[in-house]
Structure formats: C-alpha cells, structure tokens
Amino acid sequence: MDNKNIIILGFILFLLIFSCVENDDNIPSPAGKILKRVVSPDSLVEAVLVEQFGDATTSNSWHIYLTHIGEQITLHNRSVLADHAQNIDLFWKENKFLVISYDQARIFEFSNFWQSDKLQDWSYVVEIRLQPRTDSFSLSESDRWILNKSK
C-alpha cells in the first residue's frame, strides 16, 4: 500500500471514529482528576477544578466548571479551559464572585459570568475573574516565543 492510500485510509478511519461521538452540551465532562471543589459562601453554587490528562500529542489541560450543589459536571457548565498552567487556584471572594488565580497559563476558553435557568430563573449571576499573580507576563516565555515566532 503506498503512502497516499495510507493517508486516505487514515482519514476515513478518523471520520468514522468521530462521527460516532455525540455533540451534546449536556454530556458529562471528559474523565480527569478533580483537584478542587469550592462551594460558594451562600452554598448555592460549586466551582470545580478538573485536570484533564493529555496524551503523546497534547499537554494536560485544566477545566473549571460551575454547577449547582450536587449537580453533575457537564461541558455546558465549563467556564474556563487552559493549558500550560501553573498553580491554578479557585476561591470565592464573596457570594456570586469567583476568582481564579494562577502563575502562568494559556487560556483558551473563558466566560466572565455564569448563570442557570435552574437557579433563581437566570437571575443568580456569578462573576468570574481571572487574576494572574504577577503584574508581568502570565504566559510562559516558551509560549510567548511560540506565539511570536508565527508572526
């Protein structure tokens, strides 16, 4: 079999595998290790930090979800997706105000608020704030070099 046929066969296999994956916001989050759960001061909402393990071609990633107390984590509830993170931490500054602190990270996905139809009919809104622990760069030098190299 020549290289062209191998590439075509690989592409077909890729399409077959990923055509079987559900694309639904309410499916459970990918398997990972829950690093921290932090309940809001009013005990209505929980912030959950999950480390998703990478493989040979991808690095580990960190996902932060907000949910009602006791509710299953779903992709729909994800507020932050980051990789190359160092020392991520979560804390509630007060009711409805979650702070995410970190030394360094590449943030791919971020929403600065969370709300749900199941909690006070959308009127309970949590503000989410990113707070790097430095006034300097929060991207690592190698990440800044990679990004600048493409220019």
Side-chain angles (χ1 to χ4, degrees):
M1 194 180 291
D2 64 11
N3 285 345
K4 185 177 179 181
N5 288 337
I6 291 173
I7 291 171
I8 291 170
L9 183 60
F11 182 72
I12 291 170
L13 183 59
F14 172 83
L15 290 176
L16 286 173
I17 290 171
F18 284 96
S19 67
C20 297
V21 175
E22 282 187 47
N23 188 12
D24 182 356
D25 281 343
N26 293 319
I27 61 174
S29 67
K33 180 180 179 184
I34 294 176
L35 300 177
K36 189 169 189 176
R37 290 180 175 271
V38 185
V39 176
S40 63
D42 58 9
S43 299
L44 294 176
V45 179
E46 181 175 41
V48 183
L49 174 61
V50 176
E51 182 177 10
Q52 176 67 42
F53 303 107
D55 56 25
T57 60
T58 60
S59 63
N60 290 4
S61 58
W62 288 263
H63 305 246
I64 298 171
Y65 301 89
L66 273 80
T67 66
H68 307 102
I69 299 296
E71 185 179 56
Q72 182 179 17
I73 298 170
T74 66
L75 293 176
H76 176 71
N77 293 9
R78 184 170 64 199
S79 293
V80 177
L81 169 60
D83 74 354
H84 300 187
Q86 293 181 5
N87 301 318
I88 289 185
D89 196 17
L90 313 172
F91 64 93
W92 291 94
K93 193 166 185 170
E94 59 184 83
N95 288 336
K96 302 181 182 182
F97 191 1
L98 178 70
V99 176
I100 301 165
S101 63
Y102 58 96
D103 290 340
Q104 294 180 340
R106 289 194 314 174
I107 309 292
F108 289 95
E109 223 175 81
F110 172 67
S111 177
N112 69 340
F113 75 98
W114 175 88
Q115 64 187 134
S116 170
D117 62 335
K118 298 175 187 172
L119 188 57
Q120 298 176 5
D121 196 28
W122 298 106
S123 64
Y124 187 99
V125 180
V126 174
E127 180 177 340
I128 305 165
R129 186 169 299 172
L130 295 175
Q131 184 174 326
R133 289 191 188 96
T134 177
D135 290 332
S136 186
F137 292 102
S138 61
L139 279 175
S140 71
E141 185 175 343
S142 62
D143 286 332
R144 291 192 316 268
W145 184 80
I146 291 169
L147 294 173
N148 287 332
K149 187 177 177 182
S150 65
K151 288 186 177 181

